[in-house]
Amino acid sequence: MSDSAADLSLTEVLPLLGQRKLSARELVEDCLRRIELSESSVRAFVTRTPDLALEAADRADRARVTGEPVGPLAGVPVAVKDVFLTKGVLTTAGSQVLANYVPAENAAVWERLSAAGAGLLGKTTTHEFAYGTASTPTANPWDVRRTPGGSSGGSAAALAGRMVPIATGTDTGGSLRIPAAACGVCTLRSARGRISRYGVIPLSPSFDVAGPMARRMLDISILMHVLAGHDPRDPATRDEPIPAYPLEPPTDLSGVRIGLPTKMSWQQVDDRIAAVCRDALDLLVARGAQLVEIGNPPNAKTVLEKSTGVFDTINESEAHQIHDALVPHSHLYTPQVRERVRKGERISPERYAEALRLRDQWTHDWREIMTTHRLDAIAHPTIDAAPPLIDHTRPPKGPRIRLSVPWSIADFPALNVPAGFDTRGLPVGLSLATTPEREANLLALGIRIDEDLHLWRHGPPTAV
């Protein structure tokens, strides 16, 4: 890796900017140079807005010289997934349906980042309407023959490729966590309602969550302080105090108990991936944590079975309701997503209602398991195999969602933290999940692993 400012984490950048040892313009220009070097092979961006990022950088630099107050992210460039509305900037959701859509307002997430002083570097790719786990045409910076995962794959690839220090994404069944694992970066799917979804193009309101992505878990904590909070424009947001997200790792984990759902989430996992995750968990054990093998809820097969699963039923029904208004434009959808949207037509109101009932039961059962075993978190690999190779002759294929979707159903916060590299040299992600009231403590566990491994210092071959 070079000593370019583009290689630094947000945690490293902020004090340098505050002490004026690095200017925001220098940071943005280093990111733009990295984009010029890597974007032709990675293709993480739909739209680039260098002028907007440089304007924000110059405002921040002038304010710091004159001693004016600045926001916590003043001058920091950010990549925004192309499902967040950005006033005056093209927002396509990865679809020809919205190929020329320029919003007249901003999403709440971008409002908060902008108010904190961040500058928009560009909009990143997504699986069409966030309905899948491959973000074409984007390639994985660690192996450009492979998908970066999705649907927030463009943001994950831009981060991994050292093109930007922070980014945003969304997660319905794993769309933050899966690409974060595939690309070796960090994310948190917070409890639904922690971050406003106002101005986010929806897929399934029962599951959709907006969230931050970065190369370092401490950076995620910083971003949660900016993004979390009630928004009256989104009735689902939580009107409650923001959790005390930690800004340093815990040192003593005595008494912390971490559950391993061995039958649900550790079986049928690539042995190389499972071994790396076990080694990462040993870091927590060395600091006093205890690993506890646990079973599945009694209704696991009913809830997770693909043909009638709770997630598929709710997601497909709600996606159809949302896209029904776009039926006149159905010819503009890719065949893959058009078929997924049409599946919702076949779901009866009774089946949908039963899926909602089973979802609530699933949440209750997992809370019971957490209480019975006195667990602080649940751990397993984020994805079960290496990201698939890209095959341009077939519909885009990404990693499976089977390990991420249980926590979407339960509405448990879940994070991905880089755990190491497998024997192929590909990054491996570890998932940690817990109940909403333990969200800050969950982030602390991820920070502890991340600060022990320092994997954010390792860049892929495309980040030259």
Side-chain angles (χ1 to χ4, degrees), residues 84-340:
F84 291 88
L85 302 189
T86 43
K87 184 177 180 180
V89 178
L90 190 67
T91 301
T92 72
S95 179
Q96 286 300 308
V97 176
L98 299 179
N100 301 306
Y101 177 46
V102 178
E105 62 178 339
N106 288 316
V109 162
W110 174 234
E111 283 180 350
R112 292 194 177 214
L113 290 168
S114 181
L120 182 64
L121 192 61
K123 306 292 292 291
T124 52
T125 62
T126 173
H127 202 118
E128 185 178 23
F129 286 111
Y131 210 167
T133 61
S135 301
T136 55
T138 307
N140 193 316
W142 289 96
D143 180 350
V144 294
R145 300 172 303 163
R146 297 180 184 271
T147 177
S151 62
S152 306
S155 288
L159 287 164
R162 271 49 181 172
M163 303 179 201
V164 68
I166 56 174
T168 71
T170 59
D171 189 303
T172 303
S175 288
L176 281 166
R177 294 161 286 160
I178 288 169
C183 293
V185 301
C186 302
T187 195
L188 170 68
R189 177 196 163 93
S190 57
R192 191 167 61 91
R194 191 79 72 197
I195 296 172
S196 174
R197 298 175 302 185
Y198 181 79
V200 178
I201 295 171
L203 177 61
S204 175
S206 288
F207 300 127
D208 292 347
V209 168
M213 306 180 82
R215 289 193 293 272
R216 191 173 180 180
M217 288 304 309
L218 280 171
D219 299 353
I220 298 296
S221 201
I222 293 170
L223 291 171
M224 288 302 297
H225 283 280
V226 172
L227 297 175
H230 180 63
D231 180 356
R233 299 169 299 178
D234 178 0
T237 52
R238 295 167 180 259
D239 192 3
E240 62 188 36
I242 297 171
Y245 298 110
L247 297 176
E248 58 183 25
T251 56
D252 183 6
L253 299 180
S254 299
V256 171
R257 291 168 60 86
I258 299 172
L260 306 182
T262 51
K263 291 184 179 180
M264 186 179 80
S265 304
W266 286 86
Q267 291 183 350
Q268 300 177 34
V269 173
D270 185 301
D271 290 342
R272 292 164 287 189
I273 290 173
V276 172
C277 288
R278 286 278 190 171
D279 288 345
L281 288 171
D282 285 344
L283 296 172
L284 301 182
V285 172
R287 294 184 178 273
Q290 183 180 355
L291 304 182
V292 182
E293 291 193 2
I294 59 174
N296 297 343
N299 62 345
K301 189 175 188 300
T302 301
V303 170
L304 298 178
E305 188 177 78
K306 181 151 184 72
S307 61
T308 57
V310 165
F311 178 81
D312 292 324
T313 299
I314 297 172
N315 184 48
E316 289 169 6
S317 178
E318 293 181 353
H320 177 259
Q321 293 173 36
I322 288 165
H323 286 269
D324 189 50
L326 296 174
V327 167
H329 306 284
S330 63
H331 64 287
L332 296 175
Y333 287 77
T334 60
Q336 181 191 59
V337 171
R338 183 167 61 244
E339 175 55 29
R340 288 175 179 172

Side-chain angles (χ1 to χ4, degrees), residues 2 7 17 31 35 89 100 154 178 194 248 346 378 428 440:
S2 70
D7 296 323
L17 293 174
C31 289
I35 289 172
V89 178
N100 301 306
I178 288 169
R194 191 79 72 197
E248 58 183 25
R346 301 188 286 271
I378 300 163
V428 171

Side-chain angles (χ1 to χ4, degrees), residues 373-384:
H373 293 281
R374 296 179 287 111
L375 299 178
D376 296 277
I378 300 163
H380 55 80
T382 305
I383 55 178
D384 57 15

